[in-house]
Amino acid sequence: MPVKKLTEGFLLSIKHFIKLDFGLLLISTLKWLLISAILGGIIGSASALFLETLNWATNYREQHLWIIAFLPIAGILIGLAYHYWGAAVVKGNNLLIEELQSPKNVIPLIMAPLIFAGTIITHLFGGSAGREGTAVQIGGAFADQFTKLFKLKARDRKVILICGISAGFASVFGTPLAGAVFGLEVFVIGSLTYSSILPSFITAIIADYACKSWGVGHTHYSISLVPEMNSINLLLSLGAGILFGLVARSFSALNHGLSSLFSKIKYPPLRPFIGGLILIGIIYLIGNTRYIGLGIPVISESFVQQEAYYTFAIKLFLTAFTLSAGFKGGEVTPLFFIGATLGSFLSFFMPLPVGLLAGMGFVAVFAGAANTPLACIFMGIELFGTSSGIYIALACVTAYLFSGHTGIYRSQTIGAPKHLLLKRHQFLR
């Protein structure tokens, strides 16, 4: 084809783009920049308030351990609040995922104060829970109110919900890239919603900035030694990833099993009350508070010293039990605890640095349990730096594969099976 015709075709394409596509893209970008700036500022500020309140609750509990004795009373208060005022939002993160898949009703704003108060009460009185679920639900609840405020069309409602989820996750952990990808990845296994990619990233970045602008800091972890990748280390990383995936799968299965067991108690407010009584007995038998709350001191410890073989198992059980009984919070920080302490213990068998294995487990168990490997790879790089990126990626994708299609979010649908075997053999689900 002559050069002249190629040039003319190129110029016509540029002209068409400038006349139509560029204008539409510019208007859309400006619209979502405005919405994202407002939404990110609100959610980032809410996360800052939540994190500061959570720090207060944790410090108060550790200074007044007698308060743990009132965990059953705290449980029944949470149960009553959700029974009478929060029946429509009791599904939590699963409700957000369902609305993303099949939009029906605007998320009631009451989700935000209920999950905020429920999580603080859970931590104050000694439950083992996280904070991601709270931030994500606050973000989703606030975001969905914009559907009416800005009179958004049905197709834009999915975008705004993804933005809210991304902003909540990003601001509570200080990982904007991971937060943005988490919102795009979490609601369908094996699929990403690329049509929402720009608003998701903008909102996550602004929310993270807003949270930090209030002077709220995040815990910093570091991997001090990263060996060069070779064939042996490659195999070790894959082996560790398999174990992380199996533990993630165990957590999800135990969580669902205990939830089914507690559902046999017909009056919902009694579930956290009875669960609280049992938790008090377990905490008393353990004899310390290492395994309740977020467990951040133990997570930090696992990066510098080898943890005992039972550490991750105790946290796994206590968290699954706490959340299944009806206490509120998230699963992610406990999953960080489980993964980091398991990785730390694996350094007894695997000739890899304890900090590296802890970092791999930190994100890989979460990747397997939430079915979000890409978000976890980004999180690992944001938290630990690029030098450990290959190890982090191998652990996350392997854990994702070996966790099966079971996850902590029951409402996730399967967009594409992780492997043909997982499609062919339903028992692997």
Side-chain angles (χ1 to χ4, degrees):
M1 184 180 289
V3 175
K4 184 177 180 181
K5 288 185 177 181
L6 283 173
T7 304
E8 289 175 353
F10 176 73
L11 291 174
L12 283 173
S13 298
I14 293 295
K15 186 178 180 180
H16 175 75
F17 175 76
I18 291 174
K19 280 186 174 181
L20 179 63
D21 297 343
F22 180 78
L24 292 175
L25 285 173
L26 182 60
I27 293 171
S28 177
T29 301
L30 291 174
K31 178 186 80 172
W32 284 109
L33 180 60
L34 173 63
I35 294 174
S36 297
I38 300 171
L39 186 60
I42 293 172
I43 296 175
S45 298
S47 290
L49 176 62
F50 169 63
L51 290 173
E52 285 297 295
T53 310
L54 186 57
N55 287 336
W56 169 84
T58 301
N59 293 332
Y60 187 89
R61 185 195 67 232
E62 291 302 304
Q63 295 169 10
H64 306 83
L65 293 180
W66 54 265
I67 202 172
I68 298 174
F70 294 93
L71 185 58
I73 305 301
I76 200 168
L77 289 175
I78 294 171
L80 288 170
Y82 271 86
H83 185 66
Y84 288 106
W85 301 308
V89 298
V90 72
K91 290 183 179 180
N93 287 353
N94 286 300
L95 176 62
L96 296 177
I97 293 173
E98 289 173 7
E99 285 297 326
L100 278 166
Q101 295 165 350
S102 303
K104 296 176 182 177
N105 302 310
V106 173
I107 303 293
L109 186 58
I110 197 171
M111 173 183 271
L114 278 180
I115 190 62
F116 187 108
T119 303
I120 297 302
I121 291 172
T122 296
H123 282 271
L124 178 62
F125 291 92
S128 176
R131 53 192 175 181
E132 147 273 339
T134 307
V136 166
Q137 289 176 52
I138 290 173
F142 277 129
D144 213 14
Q145 308 313 308
F146 280 42
T147 302
K148 293 180 178 179
L149 182 63
F150 287 95
K151 298 180 179 179
L152 298 177
K153 297 179 180 178
R155 67 173 182 267
D156 287 335
R157 183 168 178 245
K158 179 179 288 188
V159 179
I160 202 76
L161 279 173
I162 288 174
C163 288
I165 291 171
S166 299
F169 191 97
S171 55
V172 83
F173 292 121
T175 53
L177 298 182
V181 177
F182 180 82
L184 299 169
E185 189 179 24
V186 69
F187 65 98
V188 178
I189 298 174
S191 178
L192 285 174
T193 308
Y194 284 103
S195 59
S196 306
I197 192 167
L198 181 61
S200 179
F201 270 82
I202 293 174
T203 313
I205 292 168
I206 292 174
D208 176 58
Y209 176 80
C211 182
K212 290 176 179 174
S213 69
W214 287 102
V216 177
H218 300 279
T219 306
H220 295 282
Y221 308 96
S222 63
I223 298 174
S224 57
L225 179 62
V226 180
E228 290 187 10
M229 178 58 71
N230 54 42
S231 57
I232 294 176
N233 289 344
L234 173 63
L235 293 174
L236 289 172
S237 299
L238 294 174
I242 292 172
L243 293 175
F244 296 143
L246 294 176
V247 168
R249 185 170 179 171
S250 299
F251 177 84
S252 300
L254 181 61
N255 201 0
H256 299 328
L258 288 173
S259 295
S260 297
L261 184 63
F262 273 105
S263 68
K264 297 182 184 299
I265 302 172
K266 298 306 179 181
Y267 187 56
L270 279 180
R271 297 168 190 169
F273 177 78
I274 295 172
L277 289 173
I278 298 172
L279 282 170
I280 287 176
I282 295 173
I283 296 168
Y284 177 78
L285 289 174
I286 292 173
N288 60 62
T289 59
R290 280 169 56 86
Y291 304 98
I292 64 175
L294 296 173
I296 288 177
V298 181
I299 297 174
S300 299
E301 179 184 280
S302 67
F303 279 82
V304 295
Q305 69 180 50
Q306 192 178 96
E307 295 294 331
Y309 67 92
Y310 53 79
T311 305
F312 80 93
I314 294 175
K315 185 65 173 178
L316 187 153
F317 176 80
L318 281 181
T319 303
F321 192 91
T322 298
L323 297 176
S324 299
F327 289 94
K328 299 302 174 181
E331 300 92 346
V332 174
T333 305
L335 287 170
F336 292 162
F337 182 116
I338 294 164
T341 53
L342 173 59
S344 177
F345 165 65
L346 291 180
S347 65
F348 181 80
F349 302 99
M350 297 183 174
L352 288 174
V354 62
L356 177 61
L357 280 166
M360 291 164 62
F362 184 103
V363 288
V365 172
F366 172 37
N371 294 307
T372 54
L374 295 180
C376 293
I377 291 171
F378 276 104
M379 172 171 270
I381 292 173
E382 285 183 290
L383 292 176
F384 310 128
T386 57
S387 59
S388 59
I390 294 177
Y391 289 94
I392 294 293
L394 285 172
C396 286
V397 296
T398 308
Y400 167 75
L401 175 63
F402 277 84
S403 66
H405 287 141
T406 302
I408 55 177
Y409 307 124
R410 288 175 179 263
S411 297
Q412 282 179 323
T413 57
I414 302 172
K418 298 180 182 181
H419 193 279
L420 291 177
L421 285 174
L422 296 177
K423 182 178 181 180
R424 205 177 306 157
H425 300 290
Q426 292 300 313
F427 67 87
L428 289 175
R429 179 174 169 81

